[in-house]
Each structure stands twice: as structure tokens, then as C-alpha cells.
Amino acid sequence: MDLNITLLALGILGLLAVYQLFVYPAFLSPLAKVPAANFSASFSSLWSNYIRWANIENNTLYELHRKLGPIVRLGPNELSVDCYEGGLKTIYTGGFHKTDFYKNRFTNYGMQNSFTMIDKAEHSARKRMLSNIYSKTVVLASPTVKETTKSILFERLLPIFQAAAETGRSIDVHRLDYAYAMDSFMSYQFGLSIGSNFIQDDSKRNWYLDNFFGRRPWIYWITEHPQLAALLSKVGLHIIPKWVDESTEALEAWQIDICDKAERLLSTNPSIASTDPGNYPAIFATERAQFQKSDGVNWKTVSPGQAYPRRLEIASDMYDHNAAAHETSGDTLTYVYYELSKRPALQAELRKELLTLQPPILFPAETADISTVTFPDPKAVDQLPLLDATLQETLRRWVAVPGPQFRRTPAEGCSLAGYDNIPGGVRVSCLAYSLHRNPNVFPSPLEWRPERWLHATGDELREMRRWFWAWGSGGNMCIGSNFATHSMKHAIAAIYTNFTTEIVDAEGIEQAEGFTAGPVGDKLVLRFRHV
């Protein structure tokens, strides 16, 4: 009797398990009506984990949406969405929370930053601390940005291209683009004297980039299964090699040392913003001041090795911001130069536009004292139509953050892409890689065509801008987009005012897979000729 009851109970439990794990998700769940990416996707996450582990996610999802439509089921509790109304607009401006993807991948020093914060109120409060210093009005008018931009272009970057043009030597510009993007950003973040000098110090540049990108093959485990990786490491099975953690620690140590220098500078020279704008750590100082205001703390002079309030929180934000800046802007510039180098006539047309600046950015400068060089109004550079279209089209065709940006549906549920009753807690995402390839919005989407932004009708332009997602959207839109645009436009303007470029070696220029992604071959070799 007892045995029969036990067997009956086990049978019932087995049937319940089959129902819960297979029958309900595959046939009865509200998600069952959504086209599935794979036969197993309705009841298992193995397939979606496979495409992430194999690093083929972006193109796989793009092809699936072309085949199955604007919404695809990737797993029992996950959807990919590829439309604006009922998709991008609903998810990213409708208050959907982030997932642990961001916390797992982008936390620094064990401390969350604005990018990793899942709670909307917490994220908004942190973002507001820096929103003004990153605003377009402030960036274009900033004395620090003006001085640092001139210095980095005239004293660091352009002399390299001038020397190459004079000797006929070709240059691999890809890592140099990372260097320019990092130096440009960190000079606004920390000032010229404290920020990086990767353009001229190629050994430090390669040390940083080798450590930063060397960890990428293991990013799947860090992002998707950190607990499993940590558990296995405790029993001696290191899915993630120990040197990956060592690289992270080395990068964090380098970053926080720069923060500490900035703190000492500000605590000993509080008037540096007005007396020496080129060395003013503007972004660091802004967040520091906001924390001082909220905490009511008057920080004293900091000695080397001495902690100060909010040290790790500020450092985590600063690290996140410059890591994003150097990678995304560096990749974008590489693709700008690649596309322009294939089109001598377009280079000439762009140069004609650039020479209308008053004054144009001519190199070499007439004086050795760069501080006396007159630069064009940043607003005038920003408003050049062909320059803007060139950058805009590169951000579309070669979007630097092509991968899915994950959110969680709200507890009350929602409707997506024409499907109602989507339950709460479902992992959902859009990806710019696919959004930017919609032929109904961007005809011939795989072609790089700056003229699409110049000759579109008002309605066409509005539609393209709705689908354009290089900077994200909503409350989590890239905070640094205005500075990145300024930095990249000035690099393009300075180079193509003074030089022509042609391709020597573009093998591997096709875009890699990943949340962020540059050329597979990690190179672009160009020849420069002075005009």
C-alpha cells in the first residue's frame, strides 16, 4: 500500500514536472504563439546559450527576424524584438528594468556604476550628477574641451600622420584610433597631465588594449554564468583562466591611480578650472562635487595611498565611461577612415566642406605655441552636413554596440510586436545590428551611403532617426554621445582637411560579433598623403 502511494506520488510529480517544463511553456504559455527560433526554444535555453557561447548571436538574430518577423522566442522566458512601435519604443522608453547582464559584465572594483544600476531611480539619480557636463551645450563651450582637443590633435595625432606622409610609410590606424578616442576622452575626464597619452606611448597603449581585449573570449562565462564559473573555480575547474582576473585587477589599479591623482590635484588646487583649463579634470570634478553636495562632506587634501569618500564609486563610473569611450569611438573612426579611403571623390567633397570653416583646421600650425592657435567654433564643425552624414552613416552601418540590450518585462505584463499578455519577468531585447538593417527604413542597408541622410525627405528622415539606435534611447541612452560626436568629428575634420588616405591592407575589416564589436582583423593599414 505504502509502495503504491509512493509510486503514485512520484508519478504525479513526474507529470507535473513534464507539464511545467515542457507542456506549459511549449503549448499553453502566452509566449507559445510567438515564432520560436529553434524547436527547443519553447522549453530550453540551451540554444540561446549556444549562440552566445559560440559568439554568433548578432547575425543569427538578424537572419531569424528576416525569416520569422519582428518578434522571436529565443527561450522559455526570452524574446528578441525587431520593430519600433511595440518594440524598441515600448521596451526602452517604457521603463523596463535592466537585467543582471550589465551588473555581471560592467561592474568595477566590486562597485556598481551608473551603467550597471538596475533600479531606475538609483540610475537616474547617478546619471543626473553628470548630465550637465556631458550636455551638448557644455561640451561645445567648454574651455577644457577646446584646449585639450587642440593639444591632442596638433601635438599628438597629426604629427604622426605628417611623418608618415613625408616618408611614405603606411600606418595601422585601428589601435591608434582607440588611442585617440581614449586620450581625447580622458583629457576631458582628468585633464591632459593626468589622462592617458596612448597616442605617443604605444607600449602603454598596447599594454592596456591587450589586457582589455584579451579577456573577451571568456566574456560569455563572466556575463551569463558568473556563479557557475565561481563555483567550478572553487573545485579547481577554471573555466575562466586566472590571468583574466589578474588583467582586470591590473586595469583597475591603473584606473584608480589616475582617479587618486585627480583627487589630489583638486584638493590642492581647487581653482584649476579657471587657471589651467587644459589640465582640469572636468568629469571627475563634476561627480566629486555632486557627491560632496549630497553627502555634505568637505574633503581634505589626500596623500598618496589615502582613501577618500566615494573613492570606489567614482572610480567605477570613471572606468566605465572611458572604457566605453575608447572602444566605441575607436571602432567607429576606423570604419569612417575605411569607407572614406575607398572613395577619393568623397574625400575631396568633404575637404571642400571642411575648408569653409573659419579658420579651417590646417596643419602644421603657423606657430609652435598650440595655445595660440585659432580653432574653428565647435558649433560650426558640428553643423557641417557632409561631415555629419559621414559619421551618422558609419554609426548606422558599422554600429559600435551591435548586440542585444537586455531588459525585463514589468510585473504587470505588456504587449509587444502585436502579441498581448506577455507576462512579467520575461527577458526581452532589441539589437541595433538588426534594427539598422531594415530595408524598409534604410534602403540597401548593407551599403554605406552618407547621402541617405542628406537627400531624405522630412518623413524619411524622421523614420530613419526613430530606428537609428547607435546611442540607445530612453533613460539609459549613452550619456557620452555629445562628447563622442565632438571628438570624432574633430578627428575626421583635422585629418581630411590636411591629408588623403588610401587603403594598404583591410583584411579582416568585417565586423566581429559581440555586444560591442570592431574589425575581426583588429587592423586597418592606410597610406597618408598631405594635400
Side-chain angles (χ1 to χ4, degrees):
M1 184 71 143
D2 291 342
L3 179 60
N4 290 337
I5 292 175
T6 301
L7 291 174
L8 179 61
L10 290 173
I12 293 173
L13 288 175
L15 290 173
L16 287 173
V18 169
Y19 173 81
Q20 188 68 29
L21 296 175
F22 296 100
V23 176
Y24 178 79
F27 302 104
L28 302 177
S29 164
L31 303 186
K33 297 178 181 179
V34 177
N38 179 273
F39 77 94
S40 65
S42 298
F43 53 84
S44 171
S45 296
L46 284 175
W47 180 85
S48 58
N49 273 281
Y50 167 73
I51 63 170
R52 287 173 189 136
W53 171 81
N55 202 27
I56 56 172
E57 184 174 20
N58 296 346
N59 195 61
T60 299
L61 296 184
Y62 166 60
E63 294 294 345
L64 279 169
H65 283 297
R66 291 180 68 190
K67 178 182 178 182
L68 300 177
I71 186 166
V72 178
R73 189 179 189 184
L74 305 183
N77 206 41
E78 182 174 0
L79 301 171
S80 178
V81 186
D82 188 47
C83 57
Y84 180 77
E85 295 291 347
L88 186 155
K89 180 181 178 181
T90 301
I91 297 167
Y92 298 94
T93 63
F96 288 31
H97 283 289
K98 287 182 174 180
T99 70
D100 285 345
F101 169 88
Y102 300 90
K103 182 175 68 175
N104 294 343
R105 181 161 176 172
F106 298 104
T107 296
N108 307 308
Y109 308 99
M111 186 68 64
Q112 286 202 68
N113 51 65
S114 58
F115 192 56
T116 67
M117 289 175 176
I118 295 173
D119 181 80
K120 289 183 294 183
E122 186 180 21
H123 170 267
S124 296
R126 180 68 62 86
K127 192 171 182 179
R128 280 196 298 272
M129 289 183 172
L130 291 164
S131 59
N132 186 61
I133 196 70
Y134 280 119
S135 69
K136 188 172 185 176
T137 301
V138 170
V139 167
L140 295 183
S142 167
T144 297
V145 172
K146 178 181 177 182
E147 292 304 314
T148 58
T149 300
K150 285 198 298 184
S151 178
I152 287 172
L153 287 174
F154 278 78
E155 296 179 322
R156 299 186 192 180
L157 188 67
L158 293 177
I160 293 175
F161 298 143
Q162 178 72 17
E166 291 173 351
T167 62
R169 178 175 57 90
S170 57
I171 297 178
D172 183 353
V173 298
H174 183 47
R175 285 197 162 203
L176 192 59
D177 292 337
Y178 286 143
Y180 167 78
M182 180 67 104
D183 290 1
S184 176
F185 180 77
M186 288 191 77
S187 66
Y188 189 36
Q189 189 179 29
F190 294 112
L192 285 166
S193 63
I194 296 177
S196 63
N197 186 3
F198 285 173
I199 293 174
Q200 294 175 316
D201 190 346
D202 55 357
S203 62
K204 179 62 76 172
R205 175 206 313 167
N206 289 330
W207 170 84
Y208 178 90
L209 294 176
D210 289 346
N211 279 286
F212 186 84
F213 289 110
R215 303 169 298 170
R216 283 289 164 87
W218 290 273
I219 203 72
Y220 166 78
W221 298 105
I222 294 170
T223 302
E224 297 292 336
H225 303 290
Q227 293 85 2
L228 175 62
L231 178 63
L232 291 176
S233 68
K234 291 180 180 179
V235 297
L237 297 175
H238 296 286
I239 297 177
I240 304 171
K242 291 182 178 180
W243 67 260
V244 172
D245 290 334
E246 293 168 357
S247 288
T248 299
E249 291 166 3
L251 292 170
E252 288 183 342
W254 178 77
Q255 295 273 347
I256 204 165
D257 179 62
I258 294 173
C259 290
D260 292 348
K261 289 176 180 176
E263 174 57 37
R264 289 195 294 274
L265 176 64
L266 290 169
S267 63
T268 56
N269 189 2
S271 63
I272 190 173
S274 57
T275 61
D276 189 6
N279 288 311
Y280 175 53
I283 298 175
F284 179 92
T286 298
E287 185 164 45
R288 174 185 187 264
Q290 289 294 322
F291 273 126
Q292 285 180 322
K293 181 179 179 180
S294 65
D295 296 347
V297 174
N298 182 20
W299 296 347
K300 299 178 181 179
T301 300
V302 176
S303 302
Q306 179 183 343
Y308 45 90
R310 303 285 191 168
R311 179 175 183 248
L312 294 183
E313 287 157 290
I314 297 174
S316 184
D317 268 332
M318 295 300 105
Y319 184 175
D320 175 70
H321 290 196
N322 62 49
H326 86 75
E327 184 176 3
T328 56
S329 293
D331 286 334
T332 301
L333 285 173
T334 294
Y335 283 117
V336 168
Y337 305 154
Y338 166 70
E339 295 289 0
L340 285 173
S341 296
K342 295 192 295 181
R343 298 169 173 83
L346 185 58
Q347 290 185 51
E349 187 180 349
L350 177 60
R351 185 173 304 106
K352 182 179 179 181
E353 179 182 82
L354 295 169
L355 289 172
T356 66
L357 292 170
Q358 295 297 323
I361 307 174
L362 295 175
F363 183 84
E366 294 181 356
T367 172
D369 184 359
I370 301 303
S371 65
T372 65
V373 172
T374 304
F375 232 43
D377 184 347
K379 294 178 183 177
V381 177
D382 185 64
Q383 292 169 2
L384 292 174
L386 181 55
L387 175 62
D388 185 72
T390 296
L391 180 58
Q392 190 86 342
E393 179 66 354
T394 306
L395 288 165
R396 182 202 67 83
R397 173 59 181 86
W398 301 102
V399 58
V401 185
Q405 302 201 29
F406 298 108
R407 298 291 187 270
R408 192 78 63 186
T409 56
E412 65 272 17
C414 63
S415 297
L416 292 173
Y419 288 84
D420 298 327
N421 302 315
I422 304 294
V426 175
R427 189 184 191 184
V428 295
S429 63
C430 294
L431 69 162
Y433 184 91
S434 186
L435 291 167
H436 287 186
R437 284 165 168 75
N438 185 335
N440 297 319
V441 180
F442 306 102
S444 303
L446 299 184
E447 295 181 13
W448 185 82
R449 295 169 46 191
E451 61 270 18
R452 75 171 78 243
W453 300 96
L454 297 171
H455 306 316
T457 66
D459 288 342
E460 289 170 341
L461 195 58
R462 279 188 290 274
E463 189 69 358
M464 287 195 296
R465 287 173 174 166
R466 290 204 310 167
W467 284 72
F468 180 80
W469 211 43
W471 307 112
S473 56
N476 289 288
M477 182 178 175
C478 175
I479 193 173
S481 61
N482 294 311
F483 181 84
T485 298
H486 172 278
S487 173
M488 290 189 286
K489 283 186 175 181
H490 276 75
I492 300 164
I495 291 170
Y496 287 97
T497 297
N498 297 283
F499 302 96
T500 62
T501 61
E502 60 184 67
I503 294 172
V504 175
D505 184 359
E507 183 180 1
I509 196 65
E510 60 271 15
Q511 193 171 28
E513 286 271 356
F515 179 74
T516 53
V520 170
D522 189 29
K523 68 178 180 182
L524 174 64
V525 182
L526 301 179
R527 181 173 291 111
F528 289 75
R529 289 189 170 88
H530 201 284
V531 178

